[in-house]
Amino acid sequence: MNGITIIDDKNIADVKIEIVSNSLEKLFDRCLAAFNLILIDKEPKTRPKKINLKINGKNLDQIVFNFFEQLIFLKDVNHWLIKKAKIKERLKNQIVFEMEYQKIDRQTVIKGDIKALTHHQFQVKKIGKRYLVILVFDL
Amino acid sequence: MKKIADACWLLEKDKGAPVKIFATEKILKTVEKEVFLQAENVSLLPGLVGDVCLMPDTHSGYGAPIGTVFAMDKENGYVCPGAVGYDINCGMRLITTNLTSREIMPYLERLVNLLYQTIPVGVGRGGFLKVNQTELKKLVEEGVFYLVRKKGIGWEKDLEKIEEKGRIGGADLSAVSSLAIERGISQLATLGSGNHYLEIQRVDKIFDEEKGRQWGVNQIDQITIMIHCGSRGFGHQICSDYLKIFEKKINEYSVAVRDRQLVCLPISSLPGKNYLKAMAAAANFAFVNREAITHQVRQVFEKIFNRSAENLAMNLVYDVCHNIAKFEEHQNRTVLIHRKGATRSYPDQPVIIGGSMETGSYLLVGQEEFLGRAFGSTAHGSGRTMSRAKAKKIVLGKDLWQSLKKKGIYVKSASWSGLAEEAGLAYKDIADVVEAISLAKLSKPVASLKPLGNIKG
C-alpha cells in the first residue's frame, strides 16, 4: 500500500510496519490506513458518524503514539472503527482531528486485533520534508 | 555458546549477568540471533541476582525475549514492565471431565459452535460479567475469592487450584489509569484473539499415572478443556502506561538500558511500587477472567450433555501464569522473579504448556530437585518460529481449516486470517520443547493432550 510497508521477516514479535509521507496530513492518513490494514478483513455495514478528538503530546513522537492509543481505546471500549482522521486544528502540544467512525457490527471481520502499540523500535522522524514512522503492533 | 549441562548452554559474552539457555541442539539451531541480542540486553539490567534464563520455547519479543526468567533483589533490585509483557498474567488453565472422545465426537461441532456463541472472542463483543468501577475494584483487588464468594460465579474448590489462589497480593486499582479501567470493564469475561483460545482435547498419552490420577487425568481418550487467555486490554494498557511513566523517570534514577522496552526502575521507587500494584490488579483480572470463562464452559457442557458440571467432573487441574513478576523465595532469599513467556514450576505443581492447534499440548509437573535450575521455572508453549505476516503468506486460513477438519479437529475462528497466523508451521514442535524441558530438568511430563475442537478470535 502507498507509503506503508509491512516488514514481515525481521520481526517475529507480531507486526512491524514502516510508514512514510511528505506531509503531516498524509502521515496520519497513512497511520490510520496501516492500523486498519492490520485490523480489518471486512468492514462494518453501520452508518458512519463524525466526532472531533483531541490528541495531546509534547512532540510529534508522543502525538503519533497517543493517536494509535486512541484508535485502540475506541476499538476496545466503544467498538468503533475509525475510517477517516482529518487534521482540523494544530495547537501547541495538541492536534484536533475530525474523525469518521463506524460501529463494529456482526458483519465486521477482524483480521488481527491490535492490543497495543509497543515501544519496541518505535520511531518518528522528520528528514527534510519526509516523515518516517516505524512501529510494532502487539496483536 | 558453551554447553554446561544436558540441554543447557551458556551464552559467551563480556559483560552483564550470565545467560543460560535451556535447549537441545536441535532447538538451538532454530533460535534467531535477535534472541541472543535481546538476552544480552537483559543481562545488562541493574540489580540482577543470578542468571538470566531462557526457556526452550524462546523467541524474540519486545525488549526481552519470550521465555525469559530473571530475578531481582527485593530491596535493591529493579522492576521491568517490559520483562513481564503486555498481556500481564497471560496464562493457562486445564479442566478435566469424565467424558471420553467416543462420547463427545457426536456432539463436537454442536459443542464448539455453542462455546463460540457463548464466549466472546475477538473484537466487538462484551462478556456476560457487567461491572462498574466499584465492583471492578473488588474483583481486581480480591481476585477470584470475590468472584466466587460474592458473585457466585465459579467453584470454591477451584481456588486451591489457581496459582496464588487466584489473588496476587498488593493489587490496588488506584494505581491503574482510567484508560485501562475502561478497557478492562468492557472486556471482562472475554477470550480475546491472536494466540488465545479455548480447546477441547483428548488425553493422548499418560507418562506419570500416579500424578495423573492425583490430578484427575485418569485415562487415555479422556476429555479435557484448556483455556489460554490473559488480562485483555486492562493488562495491555497498564503495561503501556507504566512504560511511559518509567521512561520519563529513568534519568532521575540514573538507569541506562539498551532497549527502551527494557526500561526499569528500583522496586523501592514510587513508580516501581505503583507498577507492582497495577500489575497485581491486572494479574487478578486475568485469574477472574479465566474463572468466569470456566463458568460459561461448564454451563455449555451442561446444556449439551444434560448433566451437571459436577456430574461431568469438570474439575480444575490448575491455572498458571506465564507473564508475571512475583516475590518468591529462592535459595533463602526473597527476590522479584520476572517471567515473560515462562511458567512457574514448583514441586508437585501442575504445569500446562500449550502447543499449536495441530500438535497438541502437555501437562507436566515441577520437582523439588529442579528448583535451582531456573528459579523454579519452565517453558510456556511451543514458541513462534515465524512472524504472523509470513505465516499468512504460506498458509491460507480456509485451507488450514479444511485440513484440520480432515484430521478430526473442528475449529471455530473469528477470521481465516487469524487462523492462518496460528498454523502449526509457525511454531516449534511441542514434542521437541518438552524433550528439552525434560533433559534440562525443568519439569517432568505427566500427560500429552491432542486437540479435538478449538475456538479462537
Side-chain angles (χ1 to χ4, degrees), chain B residues 109-129:
Chain B
E109 282 192 29
R110 222 179 110 206
L111 182 59
V112 171
N113 289 340
L114 188 56
L115 284 165
Y116 186 80
Q117 271 172 46
T118 307
I119 296 161
V121 299
V123 179
R125 283 175 69 195
F128 77 97
L129 196 50

Side-chain angles (χ1 to χ4, degrees), chain B residues 72-148:
Chain B
M72 290 283 190
D73 181 72
K74 182 186 175 184
E75 304 301 332
N76 305 312
Y78 288 68
V79 62
C80 182
V84 169
Y86 279 94
D87 195 357
I88 296 166
N89 192 5
C90 185
M92 306 292 287
R93 176 173 272 233
L94 184 67
I95 301 157
T96 54
T97 74
N98 57 17
L99 294 165
T100 62
S101 50
R102 216 170 68 115
E103 286 170 302
I104 213 170
M105 285 317 283
Y107 300 94
L108 184 68
E109 282 192 29
R110 222 179 110 206
L111 182 59
V112 171
N113 289 340
L114 188 56
L115 284 165
Y116 186 80
Q117 271 172 46
T118 307
I119 296 161
V121 299
V123 179
R125 283 175 69 195
F128 77 97
L129 196 50
K130 306 290 182 203
V131 300
N132 57 23
Q133 188 163 326
T134 307
E135 203 147 43
L136 181 72
K137 181 177 164 70
K138 298 259 190 225
L139 284 168
V140 303
E141 290 179 3
E142 296 175 40
V144 181
F145 283 100
Y146 186 85
L147 185 73
V148 170

Side-chain angles (χ1 to χ4, degrees), chain A residues 43-133:
Chain A
E43 291 185 354
K45 299 265 185 222
T46 47
R47 199 162 54 93
K49 290 181 183 175
K50 285 188 182 171
I51 193 167
N52 288 340
L53 270 168
K54 295 174 188 172
I55 306 288
N56 298 316
K58 285 184 185 156
N59 49 42
L60 185 59
D61 240 56
Q62 285 187 10
I63 291 181
V64 169
F65 195 96
N66 293 340
F67 176 81
F68 280 113
E69 274 215 325
Q70 195 60 221
L71 297 181
I72 294 166
F73 178 82
L74 293 169
K75 163 184 68 73
D76 279 358
V77 177
N78 296 9
H79 304 152
W80 286 356
L81 170 70
I82 307 297
K83 297 296 303 296
K84 290 179 190 165
K86 203 169 112 178
I87 295 178
K88 193 172 174 182
E89 202 178 350
R90 264 193 259 180
L91 302 164
K92 190 180 179 201
N93 300 335
Q94 187 182 89
I95 296 180
V96 182
F97 290 89
E98 183 188 80
M99 290 191 178
E100 189 182 281
Y101 69 92
Q102 282 175 279
K103 187 105 176 155
I104 290 167
D105 59 8
R106 285 196 175 265
Q107 319 300 326
T108 314
V109 178
I110 301 294
K111 206 192 294 183
D113 185 14
I114 298 169
K115 294 168 190 168
L117 169 61
T118 70
H119 293 243
H120 184 59
Q121 300 175 3
F122 178 70
Q123 294 182 55
V124 178
K125 278 186 192 168
K126 189 167 186 239
I127 306 159
K129 284 183 183 173
R130 208 163 156 261
Y131 293 91
L132 168 71
V133 172

Side-chain angles (χ1 to χ4, degrees), chain A residues 31-43:
Chain A
C31 284
L32 178 60
F35 185 87
N36 289 342
L37 177 68
I38 300 304
L39 179 71
I40 290 288
D41 218 350
K42 192 176 165 195
E43 291 185 354

Side-chain angles (χ1 to χ4, degrees), chain B residues 7-112:
Chain B
C8 183
W9 307 77
L10 192 66
L11 180 66
E12 285 173 313
K13 56 188 183 65
D14 301 324
K15 295 180 273 191
V19 175
K20 264 191 330 204
I21 302 142
F22 294 95
T24 54
E25 276 189 56
K26 184 181 180 186
I27 283 181
L28 207 54
K29 284 179 189 160
T30 67
V31 176
E32 330 102 80
K33 279 199 183 113
E34 183 67 17
V35 167
F36 304 121
L37 287 169
Q38 290 184 349
E40 194 167 330
N41 291 341
V42 171
S43 78
L44 294 168
L45 289 176
L48 285 169
V49 170
D51 304 329
V52 172
C53 303
L54 296 182
M55 298 295 115
D57 56 342
T58 190
H59 64 87
S60 60
Y62 317 126
I66 307 301
T68 299
V69 179
F70 62 80
M72 290 283 190
D73 181 72
K74 182 186 175 184
E75 304 301 332
N76 305 312
Y78 288 68
V79 62
C80 182
V84 169
Y86 279 94
D87 195 357
I88 296 166
N89 192 5
C90 185
M92 306 292 287
R93 176 173 272 233
L94 184 67
I95 301 157
T96 54
T97 74
N98 57 17
L99 294 165
T100 62
S101 50
R102 216 170 68 115
E103 286 170 302
I104 213 170
M105 285 317 283
Y107 300 94
L108 184 68
E109 282 192 29
R110 222 179 110 206
L111 182 59
V112 171

